[in-house]
């Protein structure tokens, strides 16, 4: 167990209320994520809920309806919140429960809070309408919005080899984000966003985009999805090398979250046009099965 956790028993009534608020946010808005963290011991589960709640707030700023200048202002305030946590200046009586919970988690675990700044960097890329010519450019964005979450999680889980573990966590985050990009292809297109590299869209004749519920005329849409799915699969295989480096319950949590997304990737690869018809998802019973498989030591 992390020594900082062992030395610091859970917490005042104000802090516990803040953690429960974060758990409610996670259960309501992140069902795939919540299936994994349910497998963690209490202190780690609370910390992961606090991390998710702030990450959700950052994402919601980017996806919300405010004008760009207001979004930039709110992202700046979130950076200030992180500075308060880093300086140890957050009171348990603060009116922001996410700030209170995350400040407590950061005292208990060696969480790399700079990764949350990277998440904000990624959201700012979205606000600027960034597009990606190459896969290498897309990887920078994915490191910000998904690899950052992997590195934050590793701070809570602990790892036998933190440096190598961070590399695997980044790669696993890339696998999850590529799966997200495929799943949300049409939804993103309707919101004016394109994440797949331009060079790949040109290669497969998909420059027209994905705003219609059918592939572009003359495009090799199935080939495009197969190419991206194979790329994501390689990232899963590399990133899952992280699992043996984690303790049993952290390994189970990671395996559950990765397993859900890996199954989504398999469904998308089997029926590429499904992502143009609606959001591909797994039923609750299958997510529960994947979570239990992770606890039993399997990867899926």
């Amino acid at each position: 167990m992390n020594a900082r956790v062992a030395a610091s028993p859970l917490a005042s009534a104000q802090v516990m209320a803040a953690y429960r608020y974060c758990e409610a946010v996670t259960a309501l808005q992140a069902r795939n994520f919540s299936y994994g963290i349910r497998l963690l011991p209490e202190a780690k589960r609370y910390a992961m809920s606090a991390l998710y709640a702030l990450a959700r707030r950052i994402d919601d700023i980017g996806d919300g309806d405010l004008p760009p200048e207001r979004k930039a202002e709110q992202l700046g305030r979130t950076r200030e919140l992180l500075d308060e946590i880093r300086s140890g200046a957050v009171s348990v009586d603060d009116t922001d429960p996410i700030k209170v919970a995350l400040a407590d988690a950061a005292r208990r675990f060696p969480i790399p809070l700079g990764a949350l700044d990277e998440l904000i960097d990624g959201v700012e890329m979205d606000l600027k309408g960034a597009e990606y010519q190459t896969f290498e450019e897309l990887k920078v964005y994915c490191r910000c919005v998904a690899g950052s979450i992997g590195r934050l999680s590793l701070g809570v889980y602990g790892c036998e080899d933190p440096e190598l573990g961070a590399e695997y966590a980044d790669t696993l985050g890339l696998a999850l984000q590529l799966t997200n990009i495929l799943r949300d292809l049409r939804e993103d297109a309707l919101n004016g966003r394109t994440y797949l590299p331009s060079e790949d869209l040109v290669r497969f004749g998909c420059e027209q985009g994905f705003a219609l519920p059918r592939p572009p005329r003359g495009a090799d849409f199935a080939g495009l999805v197969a190419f991206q799915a194979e790329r994501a699969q390689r990232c899963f295989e590399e990133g899952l090398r992280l699992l043996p480096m984690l303790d049993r319950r952290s390994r189970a949590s990671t395996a559950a979250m990765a397993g859900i997304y890996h199954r989504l990737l398999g469904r998308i690869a089997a029926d590429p046009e499904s992502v143009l018809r609606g959001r591909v998802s797994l039923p609750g019973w299958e997510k529960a099965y994947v979570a239990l498989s992770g606890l039993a030591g399997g990867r899926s």
Side-chain angles (χ1 to χ4, degrees), residues 242-262:
L242 174 65
L243 295 183
M245 303 169 71
L246 305 176
D247 66 66
R248 178 175 176 267
R249 290 175 71 174
S250 298
R251 181 167 62 247
S253 175
T254 303
M257 287 185 277
I260 288 169
Y261 277 90
H262 193 236

Side-chain angles (χ1 to χ4, degrees), residues 64-80:
D65 297 327
L66 293 174
E69 61 273 15
R70 289 288 309 283
K71 291 183 178 183
E73 178 184 326
Q74 290 197 1
L75 291 174
R77 289 178 181 171
T78 307
R79 291 191 192 274
E80 293 172 1

Side-chain angles (χ1 to χ4, degrees), residues 205-206 208-210 212-222 272-273 276:
C206 293
Q208 298 174 52
F210 311 103
L212 298 175
R214 296 182 62 82
R217 184 182 298 273
D220 182 10
F221 181 73
E273 291 189 28
L276 300 179

